Amino acid sequence: MTRESMDTVTPIVIRNARLLERERPVNIRIEGGIITRISEEPLTAEGAEVYDADGGLASPPLVDPHIHLDAVLTEGFPQANMTGTLIEGIQRWSERKPYLTPDDVAGRAEEALRWHMVHGVLAIRTHVDVSDPSLTALKTLLTLRERMKPWLTLQIVAFPQDGIFCTPRGPELLEEAVRLGADAVGGIPHYEWTREDGLRDVELAFDLARRYQRAVDIHCDETDDDHSRFLETVANCTRLYHLQGRVTASHTTAMGSYNDAYAFKLLRLLARAQVHIVANPLDNIVLQGRFDTYPKRRGMTRVKELIEAGVTVAAGHDSIMDPWYPLGSGNQVFVASMLAHVGHLTGRAQLPWVWRSITEAGATVMELPKYGIREGAPASLVVFCEPTIVDVLRLMSRPRWVFSHGRLLAETVPAVSTVLWEDERLPVTFLRKDAP
Ligand SMILES: [Zn+2]
């Protein structure tokens, strides 16, 4: 796949689009891959392709800060996860791993990335299992990262799925993955065999991050065990290694089971260390709580309290049709909707946080420098049919247009619904006409 030079690209004018921070619709002019003008006044469309947004929401691209592209679309082979549990998922993945080849990994990952693109997701951080001695998936995705650059930002986390210290040559494989070019160092402390090895797991990730100047993104406390407390070590290492703003803890579901006094202390520590959190509500609402009878826990970190404490919380898709989660389609709006439901975040004051979790917060986690819709910024943006974030979250529809660096990348023709009622054909838009 190649792209022609920016000089030959036709300018674009997007008319009548709503921006989150503005009351009135705007017109947006794009030239040479850059947003050159945003105005409530009409803009000249001479020589430009014109897209009429008809009052639909224009958003910066959606962000998926946590997916496992090496495992996507593997569900069912060689055996399906019949119970849906985390433990059987890990077993099924270990049976699938011997079949990994460069073509297999690249084919599935590219397919999933196209699904993301259609949903307006143009920045993606993938974890890649580096427990495999050949590092096949890692090497394949490093190549894909370069090929995808004209369209989307792909970041790679070296992720020791089977544990660093309970895998033969685990520490060497992790370092080799970082040396080969992974953007971030991962870990899985709660999965190591002892608490002491869990602490060493976190410390090794930080040591590698410092030596190779990488970010840190650790699968941390993804369990209902309230004694799993590696997040405090992650926060403390962030402070000691001076990596504030470069560290993410993913999942952290044990936080949902901590007592309030401990959680209060931890929230302050996380905010001071500027550790980011990525919640993964799709997988965790089905994988956690499996040892509970009733009432069953939700398997969710403390999203509301973290945000109120000033911590950046983003939401990831985590899985698309893999041994842990057989559903999903790369739709981050579905992820946000699940976060709103599972996290008690449906208040009028909280729904903007939910939207932020798949946009700006994800961009903060991925340290994207030029994110947002403003004059002079790269012309990467997503136009929905619906006028508000609440309508997009409610209807979970795909964006009408996805633009990447000044060019149309993906398009979805809006569905037209009618109801035949009392000899009349009535249009149904699912939009309220008298929104307060
Ligand atoms: Zn994960």
Side-chain angles (χ1 to χ4, degrees), residues 66-68 127 159 161 219 222 250-251 280 283 318-319:
H66 190 118
I67 183 107
H68 295 256
H127 293 253
F159 170 51
Q161 171 83 65
H219 278 63
E222 187 183 5
S250 291
H251 296 286
N280 295 292
D283 281 51
D318 205 7
S319 295

Side-chain angles (χ1 to χ4, degrees), residues 12 48 64 82 85-86 113 201 211 230 233 251 255 271 274 297 299 302 337 360 381 390 392 405 428 431:
I12 288 172
D64 182 358
M82 299 303 284
T85 58
L86 175 64
L113 288 176
D201 178 304
R211 284 200 278 126
F230 296 104
T233 308
H251 296 286
M255 212 175 171
Q274 296 170 44
R297 283 168 284 182
R302 298 195 182 203
S337 171
E360 283 102 344
L381 57 111
V390 174
V392 175
H405 296 285
V428 177
L431 295 175

Side-chain angles (χ1 to χ4, degrees), residues 7-148:
D7 301 338
T8 61
V9 177
T10 310
I12 288 172
V13 169
I14 301 169
R15 282 188 175 148
N16 201 15
R18 284 181 198 280
L19 299 181
L20 272 183
E21 61 280 9
R22 295 231 201 176
E23 283 264 307
R24 296 180 55 201
V26 297
N27 303 299
I28 302 168
R29 187 169 174 94
I30 293 168
E31 286 167 288
I34 301 293
I35 296 172
T36 53
R37 192 81 205 284
I38 299 174
S39 174
E40 291 176 11
E41 306 305 321
L43 295 180
T44 171
E46 206 178 302
E49 288 172 20
V50 177
Y51 296 84
D52 190 346
D54 197 22
L57 176 72
S59 166
L62 308 191
V63 179
D64 182 358
H66 190 118
I67 183 107
H68 295 256
L69 283 179
D70 52 346
V72 291
L73 312 182
T74 58
E75 189 277 328
F77 179 81
Q79 285 207 68
N81 181 343
M82 299 303 284
T83 60
T85 58
L86 175 64
I87 297 302
E88 188 177 345
I90 292 171
Q91 174 61 27
R92 299 297 164 233
W93 175 237
S94 73
E95 293 160 6
R96 179 61 172 79
K97 277 201 256 189
Y99 297 93
L100 294 177
T101 65
D103 284 350
D104 164 55
V105 175
R108 288 183 290 98
E110 281 182 27
E111 180 72 27
L113 288 176
R114 285 192 286 273
W115 297 7
H116 273 101
M117 288 172 181
V118 168
H119 286 113
V121 184
L122 299 184
I124 295 161
R125 176 178 277 186
T126 179
H127 293 253
V128 185
D129 186 355
V130 296
S131 306
D132 157 32
S134 67
L135 296 176
T136 299
L138 177 92
K139 290 171 187 167
T140 305
L141 288 169
L142 285 170
T143 306
L144 194 60
R145 179 182 69 185
E146 301 311 305
R147 281 184 47 216
M148 285 293 152

Side-chain angles (χ1 to χ4, degrees), residues 245-260:
R246 301 220 65 198
V247 175
T248 299
S250 291
H251 296 286
T252 68
T253 55
M255 212 175 171
S257 296
Y258 296 156
N259 68 68
D260 287 343

Side-chain angles (χ1 to χ4, degrees), residues 59-67 113 116-117 119-126 152-155 217 248 278-281 312-318 330-336 339 354-372 380-382 384 402:
S59 166
L62 308 191
V63 179
D64 182 358
H66 190 118
I67 183 107
L113 288 176
H116 273 101
M117 288 172 181
H119 286 113
V121 184
L122 299 184
I124 295 161
R125 176 178 277 186
T126 179
L152 56 78
T153 303
L154 183 61
Q155 290 181 356
D217 192 334
T248 299
V278 173
N280 295 292
T312 294
V313 181
H317 205 300
D318 205 7
N331 185 354
Q332 279 295 86
V333 178
F334 177 47
V335 173
L339 186 75
V354 170
W355 187 255
R356 203 177 125 71
S357 77
I358 56 165
T359 52
E360 283 102 344
T364 300
V365 166
M366 290 185 65
E367 303 178 52
L368 303 178
K370 295 175 181 168
Y371 186 78
S380 296
L381 57 111
V382 178
F384 290 92
V402 180

